Amino acid sequence: MPSPKKPHTAWPTSGMQPILRRDLLTWYKSHQRDLPWRRTRDPYRIWVSEVMLQQTQVATVIPFYHRFVQRFPDLAALARADIQAVLKHWEGLGYYRRAHHLHRAARELVDSGGGRVPDRHQAFRALPGVGDYIANAVMSIAFDRPRAVVDGNVKRVLARLGGIGVPVNQAAAHRVFQRTADRLLDRGCPGAFNQALMELGALVCTPRRPNCPDCPWKKSCFAFLNDATDELPKRIRRAPVPEHAMAAGVVCHRGRVLVVQRPSEGLLAGLWDFPGGRRHPGETGPAACRRLLWEATGLKVAVARKLIRVRHAYTHFKIELDLYLCRKDSGRVRLDGPQAFRWLRPTELDALPFTGVGKKAFARLPLESLCRGRRRG
Ligand code: SF4
C-alpha cells in the first residue's frame, strides 16, 4: 500500500492489476447504464456516439444520437448529406467542428472506395477529427483492439486510485495517465474495460463526493485509504476566461429578417446568425450595431431599440450579446466576412443550423410581430 499522503505514481502495482480488472468488470456487469450505443457493435454508430460524448454529458447526447443515426444511419448516408443538414442535426450540441470532421471523414471513407470504418488503429487515427481518445475508444469497443482510453473521467479515477499528483489539466499529464491506463487495461476485453472505467468515473468516482463505500476499488484506492479524495485529482488554476461585449442587429424588412452565414472555416463554421460582432471599447451598443452591420453587410440601418441580452459561454471565452431591432435605411447587402445571407420569414429560420447564441436569441424574440412592425408590450 502507498504511504499515507504521498502520491505514488507506480501504483497500482502489477500484482494488483488482475484483481482490479476483475473487480471493475464484475461491478460493470451489474451497474452499467443501458445506453443506446451500448446496444450495437456497429463501428459507425459507436464512432458517432464517442464523438458526441467528447465534451458533452451522456444525458444531453442521447436525443441527439437518436436523431442523428435515424437521419444518417450509416457512413454512406452521412457522406451523401449536405453539411448544412449535418449541422442542423448537431445544432445545440456545440463544438461544431466535430460535425464537420465526422462528415469529412465519412466522405473520405466513401470516396476511397471502402465505405467502411477502418478496423486498424493507424488508418482510423488518420481520419479528420480522430485523436487518440476517439481512435482508442472505437478500436477497443467496436473491434476489441487492446487500446486504453483516457478521458476526464479516467484521469480522475486513476489519479485517485494511484495517488497521481500530476495536474490533470497540464499538457504533460496525458502521457502519464495514458501509461497508467495502458498498464491497467484488460487486454482480454478492452472495450468492456474501457467503458467500465469511464462508467466508474461517471457514476461512482464523481468529481465531488465520490461514493467510495460502493466502489469496487475501495480496498486498493490511494485516495480513499488516505482520505485524500478531495485533494485528487490536482489541477492548475487557470486565468478566468475573457468576456466579450457583442452587438447584433435584428434587421426586419418587408416581413423578413436578415440572417448571415459564418465563414466555412474557423469557429462555428457554416452556421447561421444575426449579423453583428464585437463592440469596440467605449462604443455604445447602438453605435456598434450600426458599424458592424455596415462592415459585415453594407447596409445602413436605423437602430430602433434594444431587444434582449443573451449570454453564452464557449470554451475559451464568454460573450454578452445585445440584440437591437433595426430598420434598413439604405444599401444592398454586400458581404464582408459572412459567406452568405438570406432574408427569411421568421417561420423559415428553423430550417437553418444556427449558432448556440443565435438559437437562444430567436427562441426568445417575438420575430413574427417584430417583422410585422408591431412593438411588443
Ligand atoms: Fe474513486 Fe473512491 Fe473508488 Fe477511489 S475508492 S476510485 S476515490 S470512488
Side-chain angles (χ1 to χ4, degrees):
M1 189 183 303
S3 57
K5 298 292 179 194
K6 252 193 178 173
H8 197 287
T9 49
W11 191 260
T13 62
S14 52
M16 296 165 59
Q17 288 167 12
I19 299 161
L20 291 170
R21 289 179 195 124
R22 183 202 62 198
D23 290 350
L24 180 64
L25 286 167
T26 305
W27 171 85
Y28 183 59
K29 268 190 197 134
S30 53
H31 289 83
Q32 65 176 290
R33 288 168 292 179
D34 179 18
L35 301 174
W37 44 88
R38 289 191 180 150
R39 295 188 199 158
T40 179
R41 291 299 303 267
D42 178 350
Y44 164 73
R45 290 180 181 223
I46 291 168
W47 181 11
V48 169
S49 72
E50 290 298 341
V51 173
M52 288 185 168
L53 286 164
Q54 276 200 312
Q55 323 272 6
T56 312
Q57 302 278 336
V58 165
T60 307
V61 165
I62 290 173
F64 282 93
Y65 170 84
H66 282 305
R67 275 199 300 273
F68 196 89
V69 296
Q70 193 177 17
R71 172 66 178 78
F72 314 110
D74 51 36
L75 267 182
L78 181 58
R80 267 196 314 273
D82 186 89
I83 183 62
Q84 289 287 293
V86 178
L87 291 173
K88 186 68 198 167
H89 282 74
W90 209 271
E91 188 185 63
L93 202 51
Y95 301 96
Y96 292 88
R97 194 181 293 248
R98 298 179 296 179
H100 283 279
H101 282 146
L102 200 51
H103 185 240
R104 275 206 352 246
R107 287 200 163 169
E108 272 186 28
L109 290 171
V110 169
D111 290 349
S112 67
R116 292 158 59 131
V117 178
D119 62 357
R120 297 281 159 188
H121 180 267
Q122 207 179 351
F124 186 62
R125 177 73 174 76
L127 291 167
V130 177
D132 288 335
Y133 170 80
I134 293 286
N136 292 352
V138 175
M139 287 300 109
S140 63
I141 298 168
F143 300 114
D144 286 324
R145 304 272 179 229
R147 294 268 167 184
V149 299
V150 174
D151 70 351
N153 279 333
V154 170
K155 281 185 193 162
R156 183 173 60 255
V157 177
L158 294 183
R160 286 172 174 164
L161 173 73
I164 299 172
V166 183
V168 287
N169 56 344
Q170 199 175 51
H174 193 82
R175 244 182 305 133
V176 174
F177 287 102
Q178 186 70 58
R179 266 204 309 272
T180 307
D182 288 343
R183 281 208 315 270
L184 202 53
L185 179 70
D186 189 320
R187 304 177 82 80
C189 44
F193 182 85
N194 281 333
Q195 291 183 88
L197 190 48
M198 291 189 279
E199 196 78 331
L200 189 70
L203 300 183
V204 179
C205 194
T206 46
R208 282 189 203 146
R209 297 181 184 207
N211 183 10
C212 301
D214 286 345
C215 178
W217 283 353
K218 63 176 182 272
K219 289 190 190 141
S220 315
C221 176
F222 173 88
F224 181 57
L225 296 173
N226 292 288
D227 195 19
T229 53
D230 289 346
E231 293 154 43
L232 291 166
K234 298 234 179 281
R235 292 189 162 274
I236 299 171
R237 218 180 266 272
R238 297 214 187 274
V241 293
E243 187 165 54
H244 300 315
M246 319 267 296
V250 177
V251 187
C252 293
H253 186 61
R254 294 184 180 160
R256 292 170 188 258
V257 63
L258 178 66
V259 290
V260 293
Q261 188 183 25
R262 295 178 62 86
S264 58
E265 297 292 332
L267 184 70
L268 307 171
L271 295 176
W272 292 79
D273 219 339
F274 295 104
R278 294 256 298 263
R279 279 164 66 168
H280 288 159
E283 192 178 31
T284 66
C289 186
R290 279 191 296 275
R291 173 183 61 78
L292 288 160
L293 273 143
W294 168 248
E295 288 172 1
T297 69
L299 291 182
K300 290 219 162 165
V301 296
V303 174
R305 64 188 162 103
K306 181 172 155 183
L307 293 167
I308 51 169
R309 172 168 286 182
V310 181
R311 291 193 167 87
H312 199 73
Y314 294 97
T315 313
H316 299 299
F317 62 92
K318 295 178 189 168
I319 64 172
E320 188 180 75
L321 170 73
D322 288 338
L323 277 126
Y324 294 88
L325 178 63
C326 303
R327 305 277 169 216
K328 184 177 154 218
D329 260 358
S330 62
R332 290 173 68 90
V333 177
R334 50 157 185 78
L335 296 176
D336 186 359
Q339 60 167 315
F341 74 94
R342 289 193 196 160
W343 289 101
L344 293 177
R345 293 182 204 290
T347 50
E348 295 170 327
L349 289 174
D350 207 31
L352 297 177
F354 262 77
T355 62
V357 74
K359 186 94 180 158
K360 270 187 195 169
F362 88 68
R364 283 175 51 196
L365 287 168
L367 285 170
E368 289 277 1
S369 61
L370 291 174
C371 284
R372 281 198 302 268
R374 268 191 238 139
R375 288 179 70 116
R376 191 165 60 140

